[in-house]
Amino acid sequence: MNNKKRKRLIIRSIVLLALAGAIVFTIYSGLTRETQNILKVGDDAPDFKLTDLNGNSHQLSDYKGQGVFLNFWGTWCAPCKKEMPAMGRQYEVYKNQGVQILAVNISESDLKVRSFADQYGMVFPTLIDKTKSVMQAYNVKPLPTTLLIDPEGKIAKIITGEMSEKDIQEYMESIKPN
């Protein structure tokens, strides 16, 4: 009988230690997540390299000297569907004035993204962040989120939510090189 009690005590102790370890890990993970660098206006835009639907590589630092309209989106996102045609029209106006659009899809299939791009006439580089590493580097939570990056590579503005065509025009004008 004494042997059974000892085994039960050992098993209970192991289970308690495992639970305590899980709780400590959860608390630690939550605290360290909160201390990640949150990007803000004036910060250097983190550099990244992604591939577009045509297989061309795009690195943010290659656009230094130009304004970059960095838009994070998803095919399921209703506001994204509404603003893509307006972004395309404004891209045609500003692309020769030193303002580029990089549309970063969050981890969807090439087929789904290509179909969406064709349907909404996306004429600007359409990139897919397959690992969500760029999304995480930019702390993107809701979609759509757009970051305006000035010609020096600094974050000029962070916009969450849907933009009107007038908004898009004003934002592109604001990051146009002198």
Side-chain angles (χ1 to χ4, degrees):
M1 197 65 133
N2 198 13
N3 212 9
K4 282 184 179 180
K5 285 183 180 181
R6 179 178 282 152
K7 283 182 182 178
R8 227 182 289 152
L9 178 64
I10 291 171
I11 290 173
R12 286 179 182 168
S13 297
I14 291 171
V15 169
L16 258 171
L17 281 172
L19 286 173
I23 291 169
V24 168
F25 176 77
T26 302
I27 292 169
Y28 175 77
S29 294
L31 291 174
T32 56
R33 187 178 315 125
E34 304 244 344
T35 60
Q36 283 180 344
N37 291 335
I38 302 295
L39 295 175
K40 57 191 177 304
V41 171
D43 287 349
D44 288 328
D47 198 16
F48 63 86
K49 188 176 194 174
L50 292 173
T51 304
D52 67 20
L53 292 174
N54 300 319
N56 300 316
S57 183
H58 295 265
Q59 187 160 351
L60 182 63
S61 56
D62 292 344
Y63 291 92
K64 198 144 190 160
Q66 300 180 64
V68 177
F69 189 93
L70 181 61
N71 179 262
F72 292 87
W73 64 280
T75 61
W76 48 266
C77 165
C80 301
K81 293 175 183 177
K82 290 180 184 176
E83 66 188 17
M84 284 301 169
M87 285 171 49
R89 287 188 292 274
Q90 293 306 313
Y91 176 71
E92 292 296 340
V93 171
Y94 284 94
K95 70 180 178 184
N96 294 324
Q97 297 180 44
V99 178
Q100 300 300 317
I101 291 179
L102 295 177
V104 180
N105 174 272
I106 304 304
S107 191
E108 293 185 87
S109 73
D110 289 11
L111 180 64
K112 194 178 266 191
V113 173
R114 188 176 306 283
S115 174
F116 183 95
D118 291 345
Q119 181 180 355
Y120 291 93
M122 294 169 65
V123 294
F124 38 82
T126 304
L127 318 172
I128 303 176
D129 184 9
K130 293 185 186 291
T131 64
K132 297 184 180 182
S133 61
V134 178
M135 178 189 90
Q136 291 168 352
Y138 280 85
N139 303 304
V140 171
K141 297 289 187 253
L143 293 182
T145 291
T146 301
L147 289 96
L148 304 180
I149 301 170
D150 70 20
E152 288 76 45
K154 303 269 187 206
I155 296 172
K157 188 166 184 70
I158 301 169
I159 304 115
T160 57
E162 185 178 342
M163 299 173 285
S164 69
E165 188 156 357
K166 186 177 187 301
D167 293 334
I168 293 167
Q169 178 188 12
E170 289 173 1
Y171 293 147
M172 289 185 149
E173 188 68 35
S174 75
I175 57 173
K176 187 169 78 170
N178 295 332

